[in-house]
Amino acid sequence: MLHIGIIGLGAIGQRLIKKFKEHPDVEITAVCDRLESLVRETSNALGGVQAYTDYQGLIADQRVDLIYIAVPPKFHHPIVMDVLKAKKHILCEKPLANSLDEAKEMAQAAKEAGVIHAMNFPLNYEQAASKFAELIGQNYVGKLRRLQLTMHFPEWPRLWQKNDWVGEREQGGFVLEVGVHFIQQTLKLFGGIKKIQTRLELPEDPQKCETGVIATGELEDGTPVLIEGLSHIAGKEHIGFTAFGSEGILSLENWGELSGGKNGGELNAISFVETKPNRLIDELVKAVNGQEAELYDFEVGYRAQEILEKLRKM
Ligand SMILES: NC(=O)c1ccc[n+]([C@@H]2O[C@H](COP(=O)([O-])OP(=O)(O)OC[C@H]3O[C@@H](n4cnc5c(N)ncnc54)[C@H](O)[C@@H]3O)[C@@H](O)[C@H]2O)c1
């Protein structure tokens, strides 16, 4: 049994708690949040597991093998560094850090600590993105002509994530929150992005995050990459990650849908079989048991952060 401690019990912490609870090989042993009412409520809902308001207490808890960090991005660095000092395994939320310097230090320290250090990049474990990767690998689009990421939000923060930081410039914004998932997919499937130029639309209030982005870059072979996003617009939220090629188009839409078509023809939905849920947790369990596992480690988080920092600064 893998004993998990969770630091940060907000929107995403709660989302993963559900998944941990459903998994037969893990047990939530302790929870921590600096909001006392939230930590009590969560502990009670989990049958009275150990509750901490100070994360140091959870790190020191001898029963905890792996710590899941789901606090806002600017707190990832101090907490991760303390967990690594205690030589415990980590699952950290994305983005890895709130600056490139922090990310570099964390990736280095994780390597030295000799523990499992995984990022929560859930697309890697979901079927639509896996099918996208498979079809790209089978040359569905032919020679890539352009890679495009579109992020459109009628409102930001989104309804389900109304907290005090995700709309702020310091550690929020959709480039950081949403863009990072597709930067990681780009790194995985197409390699790095170079020659990044970015134009942000920033509100007058210097505390508030971007409301628009148009960025361009190139893959290693010179294929253009276009990243565009806007918030506070009409219509529905739309996230599209699209490969345009010499033969056709393939698009991962709204996280879990896939469409594609051959050039000159129609774009159609592409079906796929839903995989087993909780694959990330399966992989964590395997890794802790010394088996080969599909995890995306802090080095991946660091490489995504390199691109992220170029995109979020003009
Ligand atoms: N993997 C994904 O798909 C995904 C999606 C959205 C957000 N995220 C990431 O998850 C993380 C959390 O996001 P969220 O939307 O749940 O945020 P949130 O603000 O809803 O929750 C964060 C929680 O952390 C607590 N916290 C803050 N500092 C703390 C500290 N020092 N010690 C203990 N608790 C502390 C807060 O009280 C809060 O309850 C962020 O890094 C975010 O980028 C990941």
Side-chain angles (χ1 to χ4, degrees), residues 13-306:
Q14 300 293 338
R15 195 187 278 181
L16 249 76
I17 282 177
K18 280 205 198 91
K19 300 194 173 184
F20 287 131
K21 269 172 61 184
E22 287 164 6
H23 200 286
D25 301 327
V26 305
E27 187 176 286
I28 300 173
T29 303
V31 290
C32 167
D33 198 287
R34 60 181 178 194
L35 291 178
E36 190 162 1
S37 56
L38 181 58
V39 83
R40 287 268 148 254
E41 202 181 290
T42 309
S43 160
N44 289 341
L46 292 169
V49 300
Q50 183 71 48
Y52 297 96
T53 48
D54 176 1
Y55 74 82
Q56 300 286 4
L58 184 141
I59 294 175
D61 191 323
Q62 299 283 329
R63 295 163 306 165
V64 172
D65 307 314
L66 181 144
I67 297 178
Y68 167 49
I69 298 171
V71 295
K74 76 170 177 180
F75 302 112
H76 291 188
H77 175 265
I79 299 179
V80 161
M81 295 306 282
D82 285 343
V83 175
L84 291 173
K85 272 187 214 132
K87 300 247 187 282
K88 298 216 167 168
H89 303 304
I90 309 186
L91 171 65
C92 183
E93 266 311 332
K94 46 52 43 172
L96 178 57
N98 205 32
S99 74
L100 192 57
D101 286 346
E102 287 177 358
K104 191 172 190 177
E105 202 185 344
M106 291 155 81
Q108 185 61 34
K111 219 177 283 169
E112 286 164 13
V115 295
I116 306 297
H117 46 98
M119 302 285 308
N120 184 20
F121 281 125
L123 277 177
N124 298 289
Y125 306 102
E126 281 157 23
Q127 197 51 36
S130 302
K131 186 79 185 171
F132 180 93
E134 185 189 315
L135 289 171
I136 289 292
Q138 292 169 355
N139 214 23
Y140 180 91
V141 300
K143 185 173 171 2
L144 192 62
R145 292 164 57 201
R146 176 193 288 180
L147 190 63
Q148 180 165 335
L149 173 61
T150 297
M151 300 177 283
H152 288 172
F153 303 96
E155 58 178 309
W156 185 272
R158 294 160 289 183
L159 268 176
W160 60 271
Q161 200 185 21
K162 298 273 181 220
N163 57 40
D164 58 1
W165 60 271
V166 82
E168 302 288 303
R169 207 169 296 184
E170 185 190 20
Q171 53 170 341
F174 56 80
V175 171
L176 192 79
E177 266 298 284
V178 174
V180 68
H181 291 283
F182 297 94
I183 292 169
Q184 187 262 323
Q185 289 296 304
T186 302
L187 285 167
K188 176 179 159 181
L189 302 178
F190 303 101
I193 310 176
K194 57 183 188 178
K195 297 192 186 165
I196 293 172
Q197 290 192 313
T198 193
R199 180 170 165 190
L200 296 172
E201 180 186 75
L202 294 168
E204 263 174 43
D205 181 344
Q207 309 295 326
K208 296 286 171 215
C209 72
E210 77 277 358
T211 49
V213 63
I214 300 175
T216 57
E218 285 180 14
L219 300 179
E220 281 311 320
D221 66 358
T223 305
V225 178
L226 171 64
I227 296 175
E228 67 95 4
L230 270 180
S231 64
H232 304 94
I233 52 174
K236 285 196 184 132
E237 179 174 317
H238 176 226
I239 313 287
F241 183 55
T242 309
F244 294 89
S246 57
E247 306 291 321
I249 294 180
L250 187 63
S251 196
L252 177 59
E253 301 281 318
N254 301 319
W255 309 98
E257 298 153 26
L258 202 58
S259 66
K262 294 296 172 186
N263 291 344
E266 301 270 315
L267 264 184
N268 288 308
I270 296 177
S271 59
F272 47 84
V273 185
E274 285 297 340
T275 42
K276 191 171 171 283
N278 294 345
R279 248 203 344 114
L280 165 65
I281 305 174
D282 290 343
E283 299 300 322
L284 279 174
V285 170
K286 279 198 236 165
V288 171
N289 290 334
Q291 293 168 286
E292 204 172 308
E294 184 189 343
L295 291 176
Y296 296 85
D297 67 8
F298 283 14
E299 184 61 30
V300 175
Y302 169 69
R303 285 193 285 118
Q305 194 94 34
E306 277 184 310

